[in-house]
Amino acid sequence: MAARSVCRAGSAAGRALLWGPRPAAALLTLTRKRGAATYAQTLQNIPETQVTTLENGLRVASEESNQPTCTVGLWIEAGSRYEDTKTNGAAFFMEHMAFKGTKKRPGSAFEKEVESLGAHLNGYTSREQTAFYIKALSKDMPKVVELLSDLVQNCALEDSQIEKERGVILQELKELDSNLADVTFDYLHATAYQGTSLAHTVEGTTENIKRLTRADLASYVDIHFKAPRMVLAAAGGISHRELVDAAKQHFTGAPLTHKGDSVPTLKHCRFTGSEIRARDDALPLAHIALAVEGPGWADPDNVVLNVANAIIGRYDRTFGGGTNQSSKLATLAVKHNLCHSFEPFNTSYSDTGLFGFHFVSDPLSVDDMMFCAQGEWMRLCTSTTESEVTRAKNYLRNAMVAQLDGTTRVCENIGSHLLHYGRRIPLEEWDARISAVDARMVRDVCSKYIYDKCPALAAVGPVEQLLDYNRIRSGMYWVRL
Amino acid sequence: MYAVSADARGLDTVVNLLADVTLQPRLSDEEIEMTRMAIRFELEDLNMRPDPEPLLTEMIHAAAFRDNTVGLNRFCPVENTDKIDRDVLHSYLSSYYTPERMVLAGVGIEHEHLVECARKYLLGVEPVWGSGQGRAVDRSVAQYTGGIIKVEKDMSDVSLGPTPIPELTHIMIGLESCSFLEDDFIPFAVLNMMMGGGGSFSAGGPGKGMFTRLYLNVLNRHHWMYNATSYHHSYEDTGLLCIHASADPKQVREMVEIITREFILMAGAVGEVELERAKTQLKSMLMMNLESRPVIFEDVGRQVLATNTRKLPHELCDLISQVKPSDIKRVVTKMLHKKPAVAALGDLTDLPTYEHIQAALSSKDGRLPRLYRLFR
């Protein structure tokens, strides 16, 4: 009872939040009886993310939270989208080389120092973003900032190490080929963004990995690892002031400024409705991914699309609960044994995105599963109900808050928000935006992106039963009187 | 453990749900049938995976604690899925789901509020299996027996995708350590961190133990070893320290010898730098893991259930800092006096016998006894 009234007050407060700095007083009085902090109070009490921009363009951002540990990392606007066909794979190669020694700490000295601190160093490369971050004890923050600056400015790129890593990466490419879900997503990008740089895989092609030289890697670093495209983010038991001081000390060297006119820009990547099928009847299960073009990061439609995905839900055949699932598609999947698993996705890039779903099924259930999944999309565009939207919103709000568990997740959130949105969007704002969604908005936004649009389709494995593209295209609208 | 993550506003509803689920489950025939299917899928999935670690863990426990307590299967064996029905479940629940064996734990809510909800929903509720006395609860203490469990399995084609994975034989050798209630638990944890290890292909980045003994002495020197990792399982009244290794079936004998030698070397000299690094890494890992709410929650629940109190993280860090090389030597010497437990999976034609492995672990240098052949 109390929950429902708080929800209603939530949408009123939501509108207030979007325009004004203070929440409606009503929200606070409703819950004053309880001693512990309420949801709204807790959201308000999250320490603000402080952002400082240094002279050379480096953005330093952090969320202080009195803990014994912290995560500090560098988020860089670089990735496979910035490569061309000849250099595809340089970003990934660079990620491997980053830990293998710097001019100041040659050979394995860099790794040994990290290990002796008891710290964990990690990195990842994606299509538009590269990140290096270190988890450590809060007292070691200045050392960690120095290690990060050493890594990104003074990478040694020793020839012997390059040759060794070449072999390691080739082996890793072989192993990645066994992860069929990832292979399917790579195919999806290759067909949806064909002819553009978003079609490249992050890891690169085998010929490129065999051919890339020290000069290629050095030139990649020279063009992309520059201060205006980097964010130094931190979360945990650190102080913003000390962080900025450490950054000023270590991140103002010459290697970090662009030379003259060489700032790379992104060309628009067009989306092409198309398909790609890698049929292999020897594999036991079929992997299928279907997507339409979605909006870029900063578009507010993303919130509604995420609510839509929460309505579609996800499923795996090891879930308990049988036919008692909140997702209608999952209930169908159990009742008619349609698939082993399915999940929706909403992958965004700076000016485009892929909104769709991926499923894994037996060779003889592919057609039925595709029919039901497309049926669910049509249902979302035409007959979403308020109650399922409310449930989806609650789930999404919870997921958002629960996900920010631990300094590493918060740090990553800060780093990627600054790169995608230019600012950190606080949980209060997410909460308000999600609360403002209703069934009509879900129907309208879904129709805008899904209804009668040409999708991109990728299929791997025993996919004979998957119908031809024209049939699937005609599943994107309903003929109604 | 039944856990719920929810918005703090819903505490009442959540405790009500938990009470309902644990004390009054309907267990209809349909639900039991669906669960049987889900369990069969999960077991099938376990057996299909290229990574055999869960299977090996089951096997090493069965070998170390033969037919008792911790050695009994954690996953329901396929033969038993059909035999379990509502009555069997009720008889289990009536013995073990009793108030003195339960802890209600919460993170992020006010204690008084939680107590109030517990009083409302858990006090005086009649569980669905009746409140008669259950069968006597099994209070046996874990008996470490040692022993060997072998499973011949064709591992030549375990890859789920188009790229083949090489055929490997996996072995796990373990020795009894101690329970997490004893003082020696901390030295064992530091020892486990010092041994470390992982896959030979990639350590996973700096910080994941690339300078631990199993990497420096084993994986970096013998490139044919695919994997050498150390694990430490600890329970209320016993514990198990084991090393998992895998290699091509033709090199099983050499692999076993390398592992037994590592065990013997544990009792030898411990470098200062090495020990400090292991202690720092253990403290770091402890603090980093406790950032996450589900982990704090499990920590509170487990410690209270076992000891009725909770040791705070910084107390544990202090205990870790106090570990000395002599502590490590002492616990290892004690450990090496017990019978080993061995689990082996894959093509086992070249596996040394259990007696030979035992002899190696009680010898001075850890080498397997020489094989004398009559016919050269």
Side-chain angles (χ1 to χ4, degrees), chain A residues 27-43:
Chain A
L27 195 55
L28 292 177
T29 47
L30 261 175
T31 45
R32 202 175 284 166
K33 294 181 221 129
R34 298 271 172 253
T38 64
Y39 176 64
Q41 287 172 330
T42 319
L43 285 192

Side-chain angles (χ1 to χ4, degrees), chain B residues 45-245:
Chain B
D45 187 55
L46 261 181
N47 277 318
M48 260 204 330
R49 280 200 228 177
D51 170 27
E53 208 242 301
L55 287 174
L56 275 170
T57 314
E58 288 280 279
M59 283 164 63
I60 192 85
H61 279 86
F65 304 97
R66 188 168 291 278
D67 287 339
N68 75 80
T69 59
V70 200
L72 298 170
N73 266 330
R74 192 164 68 104
F75 299 115
C76 179
V78 175
E79 327 68 82
N80 286 0
T81 45
D82 286 324
K83 292 189 212 153
I84 297 183
D85 62 6
R86 195 186 312 130
D87 295 322
V88 175
L89 289 173
H90 276 185
S91 102
Y92 172 80
L93 292 171
S94 62
S95 313
Y96 293 98
Y97 277 36
T98 53
E100 61 275 7
R101 299 179 76 89
M102 295 202 234
V103 172
L104 178 69
V107 176
I109 36 97
E110 210 189 65
H111 183 74
E112 278 313 313
H113 191 189
L114 186 65
V115 173
E116 198 187 300
C117 291
R119 282 210 183 95
K120 202 170 12 161
Y121 296 112
L122 288 167
L123 210 56
V125 172
E126 172 95 2
V128 79
W129 52 84
S131 50
Q133 262 309 75
R135 303 176 302 146
V137 165
D138 186 354
R139 294 192 191 286
S140 18
V141 172
Q143 304 284 351
Y144 179 81
T145 56
I148 181 166
I149 294 222
K150 297 193 268 198
V151 173
E152 293 266 0
K153 187 172 174 199
D154 178 14
M155 307 280 279
S156 52
D157 188 21
V158 294
S159 168
L160 295 170
T163 321
I165 294 181
E167 182 179 357
L168 297 174
T169 293
H170 302 265
I171 55 141
M172 219 188 230
I173 299 185
L175 288 166
E176 187 181 17
S177 63
C178 75
S179 89
F180 58 75
L181 298 172
E182 292 178 39
D183 292 332
D184 279 348
F185 172 64
I186 306 279
F188 269 118
V190 174
L191 175 66
N192 183 41
M193 205 70 207
M194 203 168 70
M195 296 307 290
S200 75
F201 178 54
S202 163
K208 306 282 175 17
M210 37 202 323
F211 290 98
T212 53
R213 276 203 190 168
L214 285 178
Y215 263 108
L216 293 177
N217 300 350
V218 175
L219 291 171
N220 288 355
R221 284 196 204 155
H222 308 276
H223 295 282
W224 45 266
M225 285 271 259
Y226 272 78
N227 157 353
T229 325
S230 142
Y231 296 99
H232 185 216
H233 305 279
S234 199
Y235 306 99
E236 248 177 60
D237 50 6
T238 184
L240 187 64
L241 181 79
C242 43
I243 297 187
H244 166 211

Side-chain angles (χ1 to χ4, degrees), chain B residues 309-323:
Chain B
T309 62
R310 182 181 179 223
K311 266 209 194 92
L312 293 173
H314 66 86
E315 291 173 39
L316 290 169
C317 281
D318 289 333
L319 288 171
I320 295 172
S321 303
Q322 291 161 20
V323 170

